[in-house]
Amino acid sequence: MTERATTMPPAIAEIRIAGLSETTWRRIGIVALIAFGIALPFLVSKYQSFQFTLAMIYAVALLGLNILTGYNGQISLGHGAFFAVGAYTAAILMHRFGVPFWATLPAAAVICFILGVLFGLPALRLEGLYLALVTLALALAVPQILKYFEGWTGGQQGINLIKPKPPEWTGIDKDRWLYYLVFIVMLIMFRLAANLLRGRTGRALIAIRDHPISASAMGIDTARYKTLAFGTSALFTGIAGAMSAIVIGYVSPEGFGPFLSISFLVGSAVGGIATIGGPLVGGLFVQFIPNFANDISDAAPWAIYGACMLICMYTVPEGAIGYLGPRLGRLLRRFASSSS
Amino acid sequence: MSGPLLELKGVHAFYGTTEVLHGVDLEIEEGGLTALLGANGAGKTTTLRAVCGMVRVEGEIRFAGDRIDGRATEDIVARGVAHVPEGRGTFTGLTVEENLRIGGYTRQKGAAETMQRMLGYFPVLAERRHQQAGTLSGGEQQMLAIARALMMAPKLLVLDEPSFGLAPRLVEAMFKIIATVRREEKVSVLLVEQNASQALELADHAYLIETGSMVASGDAKKLANDPQIRRSYLGY
Amino acid sequence: MHQLLQQIASGLATGAIYSSLALALVMIYRATELVNFAQGDMAMASTYLAWTLMNAGLPFWAAFVITLVSSFVAGVIIERVIIRPVQNAPVLAAVIVFIGLQLIIYAVTGWIFSYEVRDFASPFPDKPILGALINTRDLGVIGVTLVMLILLYVFFRYTPTGLAMRAAAQNPVSARLSGIRVGRMLAIGWGLAAAIGATAGIMVAPVLFLDPNMMLGVLIYAFAAALLGGITNPLGAVVGGLIVGVAENLIGTYLIASQLKLTVALALIFLVLVFKPNGLFGTMTVRRV
């Protein structure tokens, strides 16, 4: 038999911009972002590196919230609770049991996942608004619970931690070292989330969010997905919490009040609650806006949060990335020439 | 009054971007009883919704000479259109008497007197005056819905499938009530029905709608005797 | 025994406040199927208004009435401007708007009045009566709440507007077909809820002391009360409020330290929603299929 050509021309003409496909461009974009992230600490001061580190931590926390509320439609006004559990898990393990800092992350992940699933089970019976209510009550109760178990949590005083020291051979300072540690974890978490949400699981979650009855009629085990979504979401936010304890070096009940949960909600909404890239914007928002606003007045951060929430919902309910994402894609395609 | 009481000219209706009525024309003279017939999903209810401003329309709808297309439902109702929707729309959480009082909400005066008259037409409602409307049977709720509509002292009574879900004996009674009410209250009626034969007996004029377009119209008796209509819609 | 009765009596007084706020929540829920997360802070802002008026020299009851009327107007405006755009939007958008509203009210009030804790004078003297079973202040609170509840009951049951509002809440489409301006009814509902909240805030301020965080805990208890009574049931809200008030007092005195109070409220809300989502009284309407 004579050899045949085994490659077929693509059924749909691939869009190419300047000779490269869309997927390649997207990859280039991500690589550029990562490169920028690597360079950043050396472009800014030590303190600013610290601030960006916190922004990245918030981004991971918001990613967790997006999985649950954005992609799966379960409204959580209490994600600060999981953040707190992650933070205190790390703090107690390091302070009381001398566990090395990097081991606290998996521990926080496991504990928060279990807690999330435990919370997700009764949450199955709660619809939108009611779930929001219960999680709000949870957010309000967290500082009280933390203070109550003084023996473990150090009560009002909190727990002081020693921040990890950078190894000698790297030659960089503590703040920048922590930045890179968090940076790596953040990349891993975002990669995990992307894999999860862009595949079958993501589609199932979205189906459950938008058409729960149809979804279960099609054979999707809604209960399993919803509880796992809760657990996974808690896992992400818990890891973020653990990192925050390590990076800040201190935990106390005040830092985990209801306003933390509200900050998460605002950050998610502003960035785009049903997006993967949104948390990056949201994380920057949550970290830097209160700083700017504090210069104006003590109360200003909240007023700005409130105003942002309202403006966002009236004009761009899908958030920054939710709004820009498709439009950017469309814009790029206008510059494209189809097929090669 | 000179022109028709209700007039639809070239009305297109949309649910979202889907067009469901394609250029419908309809006229009701004052004092007349007009039947709008058609199969399930033909567009009868949509036509009624269009009249009451509950659905997006293009085209002209006039009531007593004034344009009402594009106006809010409350406005249209205030001009004298009383619509008894599919499923009756009873306030199930309120008592029978409260339902009637709601009917009289827009009236400055005369409401109490009308209520007495309604209770006279429908003694069963008088009996169950203080009962929660949700506990009434289907036929009783239908009577309550009609009574509530009449409390508004309307010029036009719009009825959407009043016989729906009623046992055959009750259906007959229902149509008798409609005839009585039309006569005594001197109100014009637009009647949408799947039960074509009884509706045609009652009506002066009839329209036939099929998948969003009017396919026949004219004197009710003539339509009832038209062999094609009889075959398609009356079953004999 | 005497102490038990005392605790129950003062529990009824706090319960009356929870009942009021719960009633406001139920009203808005019935009309819109939305929970007003901002109710507590709206009440708080009203209380600050009353405080300002009294500070300017007005006698208590004059300040009270003016505050009530202003709160009503504010409620109407908030409904028209802020809530109406998201009424038919997805739940998440509405929740975010409510919380945004709450934040703004909180921040603006804090900015104007600062966050220091203040005294708020009660119109009722603090004297024990009935053999030291209850004091006049608690009795006053119960009395005011009772009067308000009676007025509301009469309004909804016997006036045409009250009837129209109930109809509009139950079945907006049929209400429109009866010529009722549903939008206007909604706005009035918000106004009333705001006025009720203002009453609750003013009654509770002497006990909790006036500061922007004052109503947060009260709101959670009011949620619990509303849920306990059945979120669509006004009578349930009242009874639920009294139960929560008495329970809070008894549990706080005899069982758990007061630091865990909010946790108890959380547990209560949780249990009610999971085991009896329709509350003790559920929905009272009967529907024939």
Side-chain angles (χ1 to χ4, degrees):
Chain A
M1 275 294 235
T2 50
E3 261 195 275
R4 287 170 178 227
T6 45
T7 48
M8 300 273 291
I12 304 168
E14 237 193 356
I15 305 229
R16 297 187 150 267
I17 306 161
L20 297 170
S21 76
E22 204 178 313
T23 333
T24 316
W25 271 110
R26 184 182 276 169
R27 291 211 182 102
I28 292 179
I30 294 181
V31 169
L33 263 178
I34 294 179
F36 177 69
I38 294 176
L40 187 60
F42 294 103
L43 301 172
V44 299
S45 75
K46 274 195 282 190
Y47 181 66
Q48 285 169 324
S49 300
F50 174 69
Q51 290 183 308
F52 278 107
T53 311
L54 288 178
M56 291 194 292
I57 289 175
Y58 290 135
V60 175
L62 294 181
L63 198 52
L65 186 59
N66 277 20
I67 293 174
L68 186 67
T69 301
Y71 278 84
N72 196 224
Q74 301 191 65
I75 304 179
S76 171
L77 296 179
H79 249 55
F82 298 119
F83 197 79
V85 169
Y88 268 88
T89 304
I92 294 174
L93 285 177
M94 283 170 71
H95 179 75
R96 273 201 165 214
F97 300 104
V99 173
F101 72 91
W102 46 267
T104 62
L105 290 184
V110 168
I111 291 181
C112 285
F113 180 81
I114 295 176
L115 221 66
V117 168
L118 285 178
F119 210 83
L121 282 171
L124 289 173
R125 311 185 79 194
L126 299 172
E127 275 320 305
L129 214 42
Y130 296 121
L131 185 58
L133 251 179
V134 175
T135 48
L136 180 66
L138 177 67
L140 284 167
V142 162
Q144 279 195 343
I145 300 177
L146 288 174
K147 282 184 214 165
Y148 184 74
F149 290 103
E150 265 189 276
W152 288 92
T153 65
Q156 188 86 336
Q157 320 282 47
I159 303 176
N160 275 301
L161 301 167
I162 305 171
K163 298 197 215 182
K165 280 205 196 28
E168 295 293 334
W169 55 268
T170 52
I172 58 175
D173 56 281
K174 205 186 288 183
D175 285 322
R176 295 201 173 95
W177 169 241
L178 288 172
Y179 174 96
Y180 285 117
L181 290 179
V182 171
F183 187 70
I184 293 173
V185 174
M186 180 186 80
L187 288 180
I188 298 174
M189 300 311 290
F190 268 85
R191 179 76 182 153
L192 278 175
N195 281 348
L196 203 71
L197 295 171
R198 293 218 172 105
R200 256 184 62 208
T201 317
R203 287 198 292 275
L205 292 178
I206 295 176
I208 295 172
R209 177 192 76 195
D210 293 335
H211 302 286
I213 299 176
S214 311
S216 82
M218 290 202 307
I220 297 179
D221 189 343
T222 21
R224 207 176 108 220
Y225 274 99
K226 284 175 85 165
T227 30
L228 287 182
F230 230 108
T232 311
S233 160
L235 185 152
F236 273 73
T237 310
I239 288 182
M243 288 198 289
S244 81
I246 297 168
V247 166
I248 298 178
Y250 175 62
V251 290
S252 85
E254 264 68 51
F256 301 102
F259 288 122
L260 181 65
S261 296
I262 292 183
S263 301
F264 285 167
L265 190 66
V266 187
S268 270
V270 165
I273 196 149
T275 65
I276 298 173
L280 288 170
V281 173
L284 291 168
F285 182 88
V286 169
Q287 172 54 30
F288 289 107
I289 296 292
N291 283 354
F292 294 148
N294 261 322
D295 296 336
I296 308 176
S297 113
D298 259 356
W302 307 122
I304 294 189
Y305 273 5
C308 281
M309 286 165 109
L310 292 180
I311 295 172
C312 184
M313 284 301 117
Y314 295 144
T315 54
V316 196
E318 62 269 40
I321 299 295
Y323 182 81
L324 290 175
R327 279 174 180 75
L328 211 61
R330 256 176 272 161
L331 203 65
L332 285 176
R333 261 168 240 146
R334 289 243 203 93
F335 291 131
S337 45
S338 56
S339 84
S340 46
Chain B
M1 204 198 68
S2 47
L5 181 62
L6 177 68
E7 193 181 0
L8 275 73
K9 270 211 219 141
V11 170
H12 299 257
F14 302 85
Y15 284 122
T17 46
T18 318
E19 184 174 328
V20 286
L21 288 184
H22 315 294
V24 156
D25 295 319
L26 186 122
E27 264 183 35
I28 302 185
E29 296 296 329
E30 202 173 350
L33 194 155
T34 306
L36 177 57
L37 307 172
N40 247 335
K44 312 188 294 293
T45 302
T46 311
T47 310
L48 298 189
R49 287 214 184 116
V51 169
C52 287
M54 290 157 74
V55 86
R56 186 167 70 89
V57 295
E58 274 164 28
E60 263 187 51
I61 305 182
R62 285 181 189 278
F63 183 74
D66 299 322
R67 292 275 300 255
I68 58 171
D69 49 277
R71 288 186 179 273
T73 308
E74 299 97 297
D75 271 332
I76 298 174
V77 163
R79 286 159 185 274
V81 179
H83 180 166
V84 179
E86 240 179 331
R88 291 142 216 153
T90 319
F91 295 104
T92 47
L94 302 179
T95 65
V96 167
E97 177 167 333
E98 284 173 334
N99 268 269
L100 293 175
R101 277 206 286 146
I102 293 277
Y105 179 74
T106 46
R107 309 251 315 261
Q108 306 324 51
K109 48 189 167 80
E113 186 221 5
T114 313
M115 173 135 47
Q116 288 310 322
R117 242 187 7 258
M118 292 302 124
L119 296 176
Y121 287 144
F122 307 111
V124 105
L125 294 183
E127 268 173 52
R128 305 195 188 287
R129 200 170 174 152
H130 298 292
Q131 231 177 289
Q132 218 177 62
T135 59
L136 265 53
S137 74
E140 290 163 355
Q141 283 200 33
Q142 188 62 61
M143 291 194 261
L144 177 56
I146 295 180
R148 193 181 97 224
L150 289 171
M151 286 291 297
M152 302 201 280
K155 298 200 185 96
L156 174 66
L157 181 64
V158 176
L159 298 171
D160 198 344
E161 302 209 29
S163 72
F164 184 78
L166 296 185
R169 217 170 20 106
L170 286 179
V171 169
E172 251 197 75
M174 184 59 55
F175 280 106
K176 275 217 195 76
I177 290 173
I178 296 176
T180 312
V181 148
R182 174 255 185 121
R183 203 178 47 234
E184 304 289 323
E185 299 293 312
K186 300 198 212 338
V187 61
S188 319
V189 178
L190 173 57
L191 176 65
V192 156
E193 260 299 338
Q194 279 194 56
N195 190 334
S197 53
Q198 293 232 25
L200 284 174
E201 247 178 79
L202 208 54
D204 310 319
H205 268 93
Y207 286 87
L208 194 52
I209 188 169
E210 234 170 71
T211 50
S213 304
M214 286 302 186
V215 295
S217 71
D219 181 81
K221 300 293 174 286
K222 280 218 204 93
L223 277 178
N225 289 319
D226 179 315
Q228 219 186 352
I229 306 270
R230 280 165 68 172
R231 245 196 315 273
S232 317
Y233 291 95
L234 304 181
Y236 60 99
Chain C
M1 185 59 187
H2 190 258
Q3 199 203 20
L4 179 66
L5 288 178
Q6 260 185 333
Q7 291 298 335
I8 293 181
S10 75
L12 285 176
T14 19
I17 293 170
Y18 300 147
S19 298
S20 310
L21 213 56
L23 197 59
L25 291 172
V26 166
M27 274 184 62
I28 292 192
Y29 185 80
R30 271 176 77 125
T32 61
E33 303 237 311
L34 293 172
V35 171
N36 183 3
F37 287 97
Q39 196 77 61
D41 281 346
M42 283 168 67
M44 179 268 291
S46 304
T47 314
Y48 266 100
L49 175 63
W51 181 84
T52 313
L53 291 172
M54 291 203 295
N55 246 25
L58 259 70
F60 176 85
W61 293 106
F64 183 69
V65 170
I66 295 179
T67 303
L68 245 56
V69 172
S70 318
S71 305
F72 182 88
V73 172
V76 170
I77 295 176
I78 289 178
E79 195 276 330
R80 297 240 130 173
V81 174
I82 298 186
I83 306 300
R84 190 154 299 185
V86 285
Q87 214 151 275
N88 296 312
V91 175
L92 182 58
V95 169
I96 292 181
V97 165
F98 278 120
I99 300 211
L101 176 65
Q102 180 208 24
L103 286 180
I104 292 181
I105 296 179
Y106 175 82
V108 169
T109 315
W111 176 62
I112 299 179
F113 293 98
S114 94
Y115 289 91
E116 55 173 88
V117 178
R118 292 183 164 83
D119 280 331
F120 190 93
S122 170
F124 310 111
D126 194 2
K127 280 195 322 257
I129 58 168
L130 288 182
L133 195 63
I134 190 172
N135 64 28
T136 42
R137 191 170 62 183
D138 283 347
L139 210 60
V141 169
I142 296 178
V144 167
T145 309
L146 212 61
V147 168
M148 183 179 72
L149 292 176
I150 293 177
L151 287 175
L152 283 171
Y153 179 75
V154 166
F155 172 73
F156 279 108
R157 206 50 160 68
Y158 295 111
T159 62
T161 313
L163 182 60
M165 281 178 70
R166 284 160 59 204
Q170 271 185 37
N171 194 335
V173 172
S174 286
R176 282 206 180 87
L177 289 176
S178 306
I180 296 175
R181 298 198 171 275
V182 170
R184 190 178 295 178
M185 296 299 126
L186 217 52
I188 297 178
W190 266 78
L192 278 180
I196 297 173
T199 314
I202 294 177
M203 288 297 115
V204 90
V207 179
L208 292 184
F209 301 110
L210 185 59
D211 85 281
N213 288 307
M214 177 178 81
M215 294 302 279
L216 215 46
V218 179
L219 184 64
I220 290 293
Y221 278 119
F223 279 147
L227 288 171
L228 191 63
I231 190 81
T232 51
N233 188 332
L235 179 62
V238 173
V239 173
L242 294 176
I243 294 179
V244 169
V246 172
E248 177 206 2
N249 241 25
L250 292 180
I251 293 178
T253 315
Y254 296 111
L255 291 177
I256 309 178
S258 56
Q259 306 133 290
L260 280 188
K261 272 198 188 169
L262 280 181
T263 317
V264 172
L266 162 68
L268 183 62
I269 293 178
F270 194 73
L271 290 172
V272 170
L273 282 179
V274 171
F275 290 112
K276 238 189 176 306
N278 283 325
L280 290 178
F281 301 100
T283 37
M284 286 207 300
T285 54
V286 176
R287 213 162 276 208
R288 283 201 48 151
V289 176

